[in-house]
Amino acid sequence: MNQMEFTRRFLMKSVGAAGLVGATSSLGLSRAFAADPLKIWTIGVAKVGEEPGTGGKDWGDMGAQAGIDIVYNAKSGSADQAIQKFVLGDGNDLYDAITDNGGGMEDALASQGAIAEIDTAMIPNWENIIDVYKAGGDAADTIRYEDVVYAIPYISNADSIAFDFDEIGEEVTTWEAIFSPEFKGRVSLQNDFGPTFTNTAIYLKQSGKLDITNPSDMTADEVAGVAEFLITKKQEGQFRTFWDGFQNGVDLLASGEVLMQSCWEPVQIFAKSKSGKDIRYGTMKEGHQTFNNIWMLTQGGVDRGMQEQFYKLMNLYLSPWFGARTLATFGYAPSMKGVLEYIDSAPEFSPELRETIANRMARKTERYAVAGNSWQNVFPTEIRAYQDWWSKVQSA
């Protein structure tokens, strides 16, 4: 699972040298210490509720379980914008802890001194972390920069296709379906070049339609080939729309406007719940984009002396309490051991919910095992080619 290391060169290209000099100078100013609460910048799926299967109305359950007060700020913007906010902007002044936008942000922010090294000795539940994140594990580098831990994983998954089994009448097991004339005008793709280019590249590579070396980090010519394939399909009317935002994705499936779409697993779960339909999340034989999301301690949080509060929250994120609830609520894979044992012994998990979770984990295990899987990379080497060709797909 290789990730491109974020470099100063990329930052200079993104924002310009003059902006870098001025902004990094201001980051060197001393900051006054602050008291509680822990100020976080993240997304809604980073929290769960006390009751299994709920996202929680606010951060009260998370704060109570961690034993801290939390001030939540909704995250927005792209990975580029987030990095600029914390390296060049006011992010470190505003927030003590943040989550990422996907693969590679810990490298980006650590290389610029925007986040702090994690003292895992301060997190008792660190011993619970699954083996893939330990030194030498398959996903070890997704929470490290130069072999030093800078992040705590809280969710992971292999993204796939959600489909209406009631209407289609059979399992969808290949990306070919979403591009098939049989479903012309009844499918949707995510309005994001990262997962859409990567999953399409996985399909084109594994089916022998294009020569692609690494779907996670394509050459400019490979990006062009993937984009031209999507443009052709779009002009043929294959796609009903490109969904944009969680609720939009849910509504498209729940209403029946589309029969299948590439999406996050929570979109499938909430669409199934909202509609009462048998909307499933399939295993694609060609592979999937795999990913995780992480928590990071900002340098500003360290300057304000917020480490203790941060480590208490991270201890919760590595607990079976959180792992069980995020699996039940959103379908994300837990980052810690002992989750299924916890679910089996916890009376708040009904037999029906346990069966649902067991089925969800079985499907997840199948997806993770597919040889064609490629790791999410929000900073591919030819990122400008990705951006330029995505604009062409959008305008086609």
Side-chain angles (χ1 to χ4, degrees):
M1 296 181 180
N2 295 321
Q3 294 176 315
M4 187 192 83
E5 180 178 323
F6 183 81
T7 64
R8 181 180 178 86
R9 179 172 172 234
F10 179 84
L11 184 66
M12 295 285 280
K13 286 170 65 178
S14 297
V15 298
L20 178 65
V21 171
T24 52
S25 297
S26 67
L27 286 178
L29 298 175
S30 61
R31 298 179 176 89
F33 274 61
D36 287 345
L38 187 74
K39 299 183 292 296
I40 63 173
W41 195 53
T42 186
I43 55 178
V45 296
K47 73 179 187 308
V48 291
E50 175 64 36
E51 181 182 347
T54 72
K57 294 182 179 179
D58 55 36
W59 283 81
D61 290 337
M62 296 293 289
Q65 287 291 324
I68 63 172
D69 291 324
I70 296 173
V71 170
Y72 162 68
N73 295 273
K75 188 175 186 180
S76 61
S78 67
D80 278 1
Q81 291 168 329
I83 288 171
Q84 291 178 31
K85 184 176 184 67
F86 283 87
V87 175
L88 305 176
D90 60 359
N92 259 287
D93 293 315
L94 297 174
Y95 307 115
D96 305 313
I98 58 172
T99 55
D100 67 331
N101 292 62
M105 276 188 67
E106 75 288 347
D107 296 331
L109 293 172
S111 70
Q112 300 301 312
I115 58 173
E117 177 181 347
I118 302 295
D119 183 357
T120 58
M122 297 295 293
I123 307 174
N125 282 334
W126 177 258
E127 66 181 22
N128 291 341
I129 201 164
I130 57 177
D131 291 344
V132 294
Y133 291 115
K134 294 179 180 178
D138 288 344
D141 65 339
T142 69
I143 62 171
R144 288 170 174 82
Y145 172 66
E146 295 185 342
D147 296 325
V148 175
V149 177
Y150 274 89
I152 299 296
Y154 70 99
I155 58 174
S156 66
N157 216 346
D159 286 344
S160 190
I161 295 176
F163 60 96
D164 188 335
F165 183 82
D166 288 337
E167 291 290 330
I168 296 173
E170 61 182 0
E171 292 286 333
V172 174
T173 61
T174 172
W175 288 99
E176 178 76 36
I178 213 163
F179 303 119
S180 170
E182 179 182 359
F183 301 110
K184 181 178 178 179
R186 301 298 304 277
V187 302
S188 176
L189 298 179
Q190 186 174 352
N191 189 23
D192 186 326
F193 73 76
T196 297
F197 274 173
T198 301
N199 282 323
T200 304
I202 289 170
Y203 162 67
L204 294 173
K205 172 185 172 68
Q206 297 299 327
S207 62
K209 291 179 170 59
L210 275 182
D211 289 329
I212 296 173
T213 301
N214 181 3
S216 291
D217 195 13
M218 292 185 284
T219 66
D221 286 344
E222 290 169 348
V223 173
V226 170
E228 288 168 348
F229 172 82
L230 289 171
I231 288 170
T232 297
K233 290 296 181 181
K234 184 178 180 182
Q235 292 175 339
E236 291 173 351
Q238 182 67 24
F239 312 125
R240 177 70 179 87
T241 187
F242 285 67
W243 67 271
D244 198 356
F246 179 81
Q247 193 59 53
N248 179 221
V250 170
D251 290 343
L252 284 169
L253 278 169
S255 67
E257 186 172 347
V258 300
L259 297 181
M260 67 177 73
Q261 67 182 13
S262 62
C263 63
W264 315 319
E265 192 164 1
V267 171
Q268 173 263 325
I269 291 171
F270 280 71
K272 177 181 175 71
S273 175
K274 180 177 181 179
S275 67
K277 299 177 181 179
D278 188 5
I279 298 174
R280 301 184 182 182
Y281 205 58
T283 299
M284 303 301 110
K285 66 180 183 180
E286 298 89 359
H288 321 79
Q289 176 185 260
T290 54
F291 76 95
N292 66 7
N293 284 128
I294 56 176
W295 274 100
M296 296 165 284
L297 171 64
T298 69
Q299 187 57 51
V302 172
D303 293 345
R304 289 183 289 272
M306 300 301 292
Q307 295 96 314
E308 181 179 356
Q309 293 93 322
F310 173 79
Y311 289 131
K312 285 182 177 180
L313 184 59
M314 294 305 102
N315 200 52
L316 178 63
Y317 276 101
L318 291 181
S319 71
W321 182 92
F322 177 80
R325 283 164 172 77
T326 195
L327 178 56
T329 304
F330 301 115
Y332 288 123
S335 302
M336 71 298 296
K337 300 174 183 177
V339 171
L340 295 182
E341 293 83 354
Y342 174 89
I343 291 172
D344 287 341
S345 64
E348 63 266 32
F349 287 84
S350 68
E352 292 78 14
L353 184 54
R354 290 174 187 168
E355 182 179 356
T356 296
I357 290 172
N359 179 268
R360 195 171 289 164
M361 279 299 296
R363 285 175 172 262
K364 197 179 305 296
T365 300
E366 289 177 356
R367 295 201 306 278
Y368 276 127
V370 179
N373 289 344
S374 294
W375 192 257
Q376 180 187 54
N377 180 7
V378 297
F379 301 114
T381 304
E382 300 292 341
I383 190 169
R384 295 308 176 211
Y386 279 72
Q387 293 169 333
D388 291 345
W389 275 103
W390 184 246
S391 295
K392 295 176 183 179
V393 171
Q394 290 180 307
S395 62

mmCIF file of all heavy atoms in Angstrom, residues 6 35 103 131 151 156 167 201 206 210 237 257 261 280 302 307 375 387-388:
data_model
loop_
_atom_site.group_PDB
_atom_site.id
_atom_site.type_symbol
_atom_site.label_atom_id
_atom_site.label_comp_id
_atom_site.label_asym_id
_atom_site.label_seq_id
_atom_site.Cartn_x
_atom_site.Cartn_y
_atom_site.Cartn_z
ATOM 1 N N PHE A 6 3.967 13.645 0.363
ATOM 2 C CA PHE A 6 3.713 15.045 0.044
ATOM 3 C C PHE A 6 5.019 15.822 0.160
ATOM 4 O O PHE A 6 5.760 15.669 1.112
ATOM 5 C CB PHE A 6 2.682 15.602 1.021
ATOM 6 C CG PHE A 6 2.298 17.031 0.740
ATOM 7 C CD1 PHE A 6 1.373 17.320 -0.236
ATOM 8 C CD2 PHE A 6 2.844 18.061 1.482
ATOM 9 C CE1 PHE A 6 0.994 18.627 -0.473
ATOM 10 C CE2 PHE A 6 2.472 19.361 1.242
ATOM 11 C CZ PHE A 6 1.549 19.655 0.270
ATOM 12 N N ALA A 35 -7.718 26.216 27.765
ATOM 13 C CA ALA A 35 -8.271 25.153 28.602
ATOM 14 C C ALA A 35 -9.183 24.282 27.757
ATOM 15 O O ALA A 35 -9.257 24.429 26.549
ATOM 16 C CB ALA A 35 -9.024 25.770 29.772
ATOM 17 N N GLY A 103 -5.991 9.069 1.830
ATOM 18 C CA GLY A 103 -4.620 8.585 1.820
ATOM 19 C C GLY A 103 -3.545 9.614 1.538
ATOM 20 O O GLY A 103 -3.531 10.240 0.484
ATOM 21 N N ASP A 131 -3.333 -5.809 13.500
ATOM 22 C CA ASP A 131 -1.949 -6.025 13.078
ATOM 23 C C ASP A 131 -1.547 -5.242 11.838
ATOM 24 O O ASP A 131 -0.369 -4.897 11.681
ATOM 25 C CB ASP A 131 -1.706 -7.516 12.843
ATOM 26 C CG ASP A 131 -1.734 -8.329 14.134
ATOM 27 O OD1 ASP A 131 -1.635 -7.719 15.224
ATOM 28 O OD2 ASP A 131 -1.866 -9.564 14.058
ATOM 29 N N ALA A 151 -0.682 9.453 13.397
ATOM 30 C CA ALA A 151 -2.136 9.392 13.215
ATOM 31 C C ALA A 151 -2.723 8.152 13.865
ATOM 32 O O ALA A 151 -2.031 7.159 14.074
ATOM 33 C CB ALA A 151 -2.467 9.407 11.726
ATOM 34 N N SER A 156 -12.150 2.337 8.141
ATOM 35 C CA SER A 156 -11.554 1.894 6.882
ATOM 36 C C SER A 156 -12.591 1.091 6.114
ATOM 37 O O SER A 156 -13.597 0.657 6.673
ATOM 38 C CB SER A 156 -10.300 1.045 7.134
ATOM 39 O OG SER A 156 -10.634 -0.170 7.773
ATOM 40 N N GLU A 167 -34.874 -4.949 -7.760
ATOM 41 C CA GLU A 167 -35.099 -4.624 -9.167
ATOM 42 C C GLU A 167 -34.187 -5.421 -10.100
ATOM 43 O O GLU A 167 -34.618 -5.873 -11.170
ATOM 44 C CB GLU A 167 -34.895 -3.123 -9.399
ATOM 45 C CG GLU A 167 -35.964 -2.250 -8.774
ATOM 46 C CD GLU A 167 -37.306 -2.388 -9.467
ATOM 47 O OE1 GLU A 167 -37.327 -2.666 -10.687
ATOM 48 O OE2 GLU A 167 -38.338 -2.226 -8.796
ATOM 49 N N ALA A 201 -10.277 2.799 -13.214
ATOM 50 C CA ALA A 201 -8.965 2.295 -13.637
ATOM 51 C C ALA A 201 -8.780 0.838 -13.228
ATOM 52 O O ALA A 201 -8.214 0.040 -13.986
ATOM 53 C CB ALA A 201 -7.858 3.157 -13.038
ATOM 54 N N GLN A 206 -8.042 -4.574 -14.898
ATOM 55 C CA GLN A 206 -8.290 -5.986 -14.647
ATOM 56 C C GLN A 206 -9.050 -6.662 -15.785
ATOM 57 O O GLN A 206 -8.925 -7.876 -15.976
ATOM 58 C CB GLN A 206 -9.053 -6.149 -13.324
ATOM 59 C CG GLN A 206 -8.292 -5.672 -12.103
ATOM 60 C CD GLN A 206 -6.993 -6.420 -11.877
ATOM 61 O OE1 GLN A 206 -6.889 -7.609 -12.183
ATOM 62 N NE2 GLN A 206 -5.989 -5.739 -11.347
ATOM 63 N N LEU A 210 -7.441 -1.488 -20.755
ATOM 64 C CA LEU A 210 -6.383 -0.486 -20.792
ATOM 65 C C LEU A 210 -5.169 -1.030 -20.057
ATOM 66 O O LEU A 210 -5.313 -1.753 -19.064
ATOM 67 C CB LEU A 210 -6.824 0.825 -20.127
ATOM 68 C CG LEU A 210 -7.608 1.858 -20.933
ATOM 69 C CD1 LEU A 210 -7.874 3.087 -20.073
ATOM 70 C CD2 LEU A 210 -6.881 2.261 -22.203
ATOM 71 N N GLY A 237 -25.089 8.524 -22.562
ATOM 72 C CA GLY A 237 -26.230 8.548 -21.647
ATOM 73 C C GLY A 237 -26.214 7.456 -20.606
ATOM 74 O O GLY A 237 -27.255 7.150 -20.010
ATOM 75 N N GLU A 257 -34.430 6.272 -8.385
ATOM 76 C CA GLU A 257 -33.990 7.026 -9.557
ATOM 77 C C GLU A 257 -32.809 6.332 -10.242
ATOM 78 O O GLU A 257 -32.668 6.384 -11.462
ATOM 79 C CB GLU A 257 -33.612 8.452 -9.152
ATOM 80 C CG GLU A 257 -33.281 9.349 -10.328
ATOM 81 C CD GLU A 257 -33.091 10.804 -9.927
ATOM 82 O OE1 GLU A 257 -33.449 11.176 -8.796
ATOM 83 O OE2 GLU A 257 -32.580 11.568 -10.767
ATOM 84 N N GLN A 261 -25.030 2.402 -7.947
ATOM 85 C CA GLN A 261 -24.079 3.500 -7.989
ATOM 86 C C GLN A 261 -22.823 3.144 -7.203
ATOM 87 O O GLN A 261 -22.871 2.380 -6.233
ATOM 88 C CB GLN A 261 -24.676 4.803 -7.464
ATOM 89 C CG GLN A 261 -25.012 4.840 -5.988
ATOM 90 C CD GLN A 261 -25.645 6.174 -5.579
ATOM 91 O OE1 GLN A 261 -26.064 6.990 -6.402
ATOM 92 N NE2 GLN A 261 -25.719 6.407 -4.286
ATOM 93 N N ARG A 280 -28.173 -3.654 -1.641
ATOM 94 C CA ARG A 280 -26.993 -4.377 -1.159
ATOM 95 C C ARG A 280 -25.705 -3.684 -1.591
ATOM 96 O O ARG A 280 -25.702 -2.803 -2.451
ATOM 97 C CB ARG A 280 -27.017 -5.816 -1.684
ATOM 98 C CG ARG A 280 -28.258 -6.588 -1.264
ATOM 99 C CD ARG A 280 -28.205 -8.039 -1.718
ATOM 100 N NE ARG A 280 -29.418 -8.759 -1.346
ATOM 101 C CZ ARG A 280 -29.635 -10.058 -1.573
ATOM 102 N NH1 ARG A 280 -28.688 -10.779 -2.175
ATOM 103 N NH2 ARG A 280 -30.772 -10.623 -1.206
ATOM 104 N N VAL A 302 -0.907 20.996 20.517
ATOM 105 C CA VAL A 302 0.235 20.782 21.416
ATOM 106 C C VAL A 302 0.614 22.088 22.088
ATOM 107 O O VAL A 302 0.849 22.150 23.307
ATOM 108 C CB VAL A 302 1.433 20.202 20.639
ATOM 109 C CG1 VAL A 302 2.687 20.170 21.526
ATOM 110 C CG2 VAL A 302 1.109 18.807 20.131
ATOM 111 N N GLN A 307 -2.889 17.801 24.762
ATOM 112 C CA GLN A 307 -2.549 16.403 24.508
ATOM 113 C C GLN A 307 -3.382 15.435 25.341
ATOM 114 O O GLN A 307 -3.820 14.393 24.837
ATOM 115 C CB GLN A 307 -1.056 16.150 24.776
ATOM 116 C CG GLN A 307 -0.112 16.882 23.850
ATOM 117 C CD GLN A 307 0.384 18.181 24.455
ATOM 118 O OE1 GLN A 307 -0.407 18.959 25.005
ATOM 119 N NE2 GLN A 307 1.683 18.411 24.368
ATOM 120 N N TRP A 375 -5.003 1.080 -3.136
ATOM 121 C CA TRP A 375 -5.131 1.981 -1.995
ATOM 122 C C TRP A 375 -5.423 3.403 -2.434
ATOM 123 O O TRP A 375 -4.891 3.890 -3.436
ATOM 124 C CB TRP A 375 -3.849 1.951 -1.154
ATOM 125 C CG TRP A 375 -3.990 2.623 0.168
ATOM 126 C CD1 TRP A 375 -3.524 3.857 0.525
ATOM 127 C CD2 TRP A 375 -4.673 2.121 1.324
ATOM 128 N NE1 TRP A 375 -3.864 4.140 1.815
ATOM 129 C CE2 TRP A 375 -4.572 3.103 2.331
ATOM 130 C CE3 TRP A 375 -5.355 0.933 1.588
ATOM 131 C CZ2 TRP A 375 -5.128 2.921 3.594
ATOM 132 C CZ3 TRP A 375 -5.914 0.755 2.847
ATOM 133 C CH2 TRP A 375 -5.796 1.744 3.828
ATOM 134 N N GLN A 387 -6.853 16.432 -12.177
ATOM 135 C CA GLN A 387 -7.767 17.569 -12.046
ATOM 136 C C GLN A 387 -8.238 18.078 -13.405
ATOM 137 O O GLN A 387 -9.429 18.351 -13.604
ATOM 138 C CB GLN A 387 -7.077 18.685 -11.260
ATOM 139 C CG GLN A 387 -6.802 18.326 -9.812
ATOM 140 C CD GLN A 387 -5.891 19.312 -9.117
ATOM 141 O OE1 GLN A 387 -5.072 19.984 -9.755
ATOM 142 N NE2 GLN A 387 -6.021 19.413 -7.804
ATOM 143 N N ASP A 388 -7.296 18.196 -14.346
ATOM 144 C CA ASP A 388 -7.654 18.707 -15.679
ATOM 145 C C ASP A 388 -8.617 17.764 -16.401
ATOM 146 O O ASP A 388 -9.615 18.207 -16.995
ATOM 147 C CB ASP A 388 -6.390 18.900 -16.522
ATOM 148 C CG ASP A 388 -5.519 20.042 -16.016
ATOM 149 O OD1 ASP A 388 -6.007 20.848 -15.205
ATOM 150 O OD2 ASP A 388 -4.341 20.110 -16.424
#
